[in-house]
Amino acid sequence: MPGAETDTPWQSRFGSSLMRTMGSPLRMLVRGEGAYVWDDEGTEYLDFLAGIAVNSLGHAHPVFVDAISRQAATLAHVSNYFSTPPQIELAERLKRITGAGVGGRVYFCNSGAEANEAAFKLARLNSSGTRTKIVALNNGFHGRTMGALSLTGKPAMREPFEPMPSGVVHIDTTIEALESTIDDSVSALFVEPIKGEAGVLPLPEGFLRRARELTEQHGALLIVDEIQTGVGRTGAWFSYMHDGVVPDAVTVAKGMAGGFPIGSLVTFGWASDLFTRGQHGSTFGGNPLATATANAVLGEIESAGLVENAARRGTELRAVIDGLESPLVEEIRGQGLLIGIGLTEPVAGQISDGALANGLIINAPNDSSIRIAPPLIIGDDEVRVFAERLRRAFDAVVAD
Ligand SMILES: *Cc1c(COP(=O)(O)O)cnc(C)c1O
């Protein structure tokens, strides 16, 4: 029928053309500015998910727009047979802000999963024949490609795609489990400092420090997945800094270029000598467009004091949630601007739906957890609007 396709609502066009890997999209978004986005009907939303901890500077930030525009008009992509000024600048910057320092090295890729793939290969290079195990945590999330998926501690995600790459062992997130597992047969331990996808679950007190002691003692790599927690989100450049721990490697992605796809693996000390020529690579990885954007975003986070802002606004958002005095709130988890609300009842979906209906984007990683991860730029106004809209979302559920 002529014209039928143009009359089709976007939901049905989406449903007939996109791979069925995700549920139905919540809205059709067409524009963003600062911490706000608008849908195709002109409705405004306060975006306190930020593309899952990605839009560090919010939407359409002039620094982000300028960097992409200027670099696209200068030099967008070359191959890895060549270097470019923004690539080296970003590698040096990452060594500085991660604390990897002069002995550090940086590998660039295009996503979080790819950063963990590189880290997985790094772990294999620490095998020396006898180290057959890689240890990761139950309920952890490291991405969807096969290596990253094998590290992910959710059996239901892995099972349809078995067999997995071999050698990964998942343990409970307890110091006892660490002590009984980390030995000379382990090449690496992968840890998320706060388990974002699991509902913003922090590690037990002292876990990361004990992990550092044990991995060091046994020659295993401590690899920290900072893909969600990194780049200032928790009120430190990287979350391990809160514990005074120095890892052997860290994976970075999500918020690093504020919405432009990029990922990286940063190694510290002896871990920087494991990869040798020809052992890994990516066509797009580290191209000038991505690295110039990341430099601009990281530079703005630094010069605008957004790491400190994340700590300060995080405290304010916690006070807002506390102030709801809702019987549905069991606990408030997380750090800085990565906040989880643990609920007393499995109504997280209803609350995030109610929030959306009231112009607030938050998310329910599971039935009893709400995740809040706003842009790092939020100020007094955004906190106030969040408070109003969150209260309406909770009130709607209580009234049901
Ligand atoms: C999002 C995420 C990943 C995967 O990143 P992608 O860019 O989606 O591949 C890996 N680890 C953690 C902790 C994440 O939050």
Side-chain angles (χ1 to χ4, degrees):
M1 225 168 68
E5 275 188 20
T6 50
D7 296 339
T8 313
W10 65 264
Q11 284 98 335
S12 91
R13 283 172 54 206
F14 181 99
S16 25
S17 301
L18 277 290
M19 199 65 71
R20 287 185 285 232
T21 54
M22 288 294 290
S24 207
L26 299 166
R27 294 287 188 276
M28 172 66 93
L29 299 180
V30 296
R31 187 167 70 84
E33 194 181 322
Y36 292 89
V37 291
W38 284 266
D39 70 14
D40 57 342
E41 294 174 358
T43 306
E44 172 211 276
Y45 303 89
L46 179 67
D47 182 6
F48 266 36
L49 186 60
I52 316 187
V54 167
N55 304 103
S56 309
L57 303 183
H59 300 276
H61 193 288
V63 165
F64 174 84
V65 174
D66 271 15
I68 291 184
S69 312
R70 268 189 290 111
Q71 193 61 45
T74 306
L75 186 67
H77 179 82
V78 296
S79 69
N80 287 310
Y81 292 113
F82 301 93
S83 185
T84 61
Q87 181 186 58
I88 295 174
E89 184 187 331
L90 183 61
E92 290 173 348
R93 186 188 290 274
L94 283 170
K95 283 170 51 162
R96 174 166 60 83
I97 66 174
T98 56
V102 284
R105 288 190 182 278
V106 178
Y107 170 77
F108 289 120
C109 52
N110 313 285
S111 68
E114 261 185 278
N116 283 332
E117 292 294 329
F120 193 113
K121 285 174 82 171
L122 184 80
R124 287 283 203 250
L125 292 174
N126 186 36
S127 71
S128 57
T130 57
R131 297 180 185 278
T132 51
K133 269 190 246 164
I134 295 176
V135 180
L137 303 180
N138 282 326
N139 218 14
F141 181 79
H142 299 288
R144 303 286 203 148
T145 55
M146 290 301 281
L149 183 61
S150 72
L151 298 168
T152 291
K154 301 182 183 194
M157 272 189 195
R158 297 195 305 263
E159 273 157 15
F161 304 102
E162 284 173 349
M164 289 286 118
S166 65
V168 181
V169 178
H170 292 93
I171 62 169
D172 285 339
T173 311
T174 63
I175 290 176
E176 300 74 64
L178 272 182
E179 289 174 342
S180 62
T181 316
I182 307 296
D183 59 23
D184 292 350
S185 71
V186 174
S187 63
L189 169 67
F190 278 80
V191 182
E192 267 175 285
I194 297 172
K195 291 178 187 164
E197 297 307 302
V200 191
L201 296 176
L203 294 173
E205 180 60 36
F207 184 93
L208 205 56
R209 282 190 297 272
R210 190 71 184 120
R212 176 67 290 182
E213 285 167 7
L214 289 165
T215 47
E216 190 162 331
Q217 199 179 318
H218 291 284
L221 295 162
L222 175 62
I223 301 177
V224 182
D225 179 341
E226 291 266 2
I227 289 163
Q228 192 156 156
T229 49
V231 194
R233 177 146 298 275
T234 68
W237 270 117
F238 294 92
S239 199
Y240 52 80
M241 293 172 173
H242 294 297
D243 293 278
V245 161
V246 179
D248 299 302
V250 48
T251 51
V252 190
K254 290 198 164 90
M256 184 174 162
F260 199 94
I262 189 168
S264 76
L265 167 69
V266 184
T267 53
F268 295 54
W270 63 274
S272 299
D273 298 327
L274 291 171
F275 271 118
T276 56
R277 188 170 166 171
Q279 287 188 319
H280 202 39
S282 156
T283 297
F284 291 124
N287 84 17
L289 190 55
T291 52
T293 308
N295 278 321
V297 169
L298 295 173
E300 177 66 14
I301 290 174
E302 194 158 351
S303 64
L306 297 181
V307 181
E308 299 74 29
N309 194 57
R312 167 177 170 209
R313 302 300 174 180
T315 306
E316 292 175 9
L317 296 189
R318 282 168 170 268
V320 164
I321 299 160
D322 243 349
L324 293 172
E325 296 184 349
S326 170
L328 289 174
V329 177
E330 181 165 284
E331 59 175 3
I332 309 173
R333 302 187 290 257
Q335 206 159 13
L337 289 179
L338 183 59
I339 296 176
I341 307 178
L343 301 170
T344 52
E345 290 176 51
V347 292
Q350 282 159 263
I351 289 175
S352 66
D353 289 350
L356 194 66
N358 283 288
L360 173 65
I361 299 176
I362 52 180
N363 141 275
N366 59 52
D367 285 350
S368 57
S369 306
I370 293 287
R371 172 170 49 185
I372 297 164
L376 308 184
I377 53 161
I378 59 166
D380 293 346
D381 282 356
E382 286 83 2
V383 173
R384 183 179 45 75
V385 173
F386 168 75
E388 288 163 14
R389 296 182 186 182
L390 186 72
R391 178 172 294 281
R392 276 185 235 136
F394 270 82
D395 284 352
V397 172
V398 172
D400 269 357

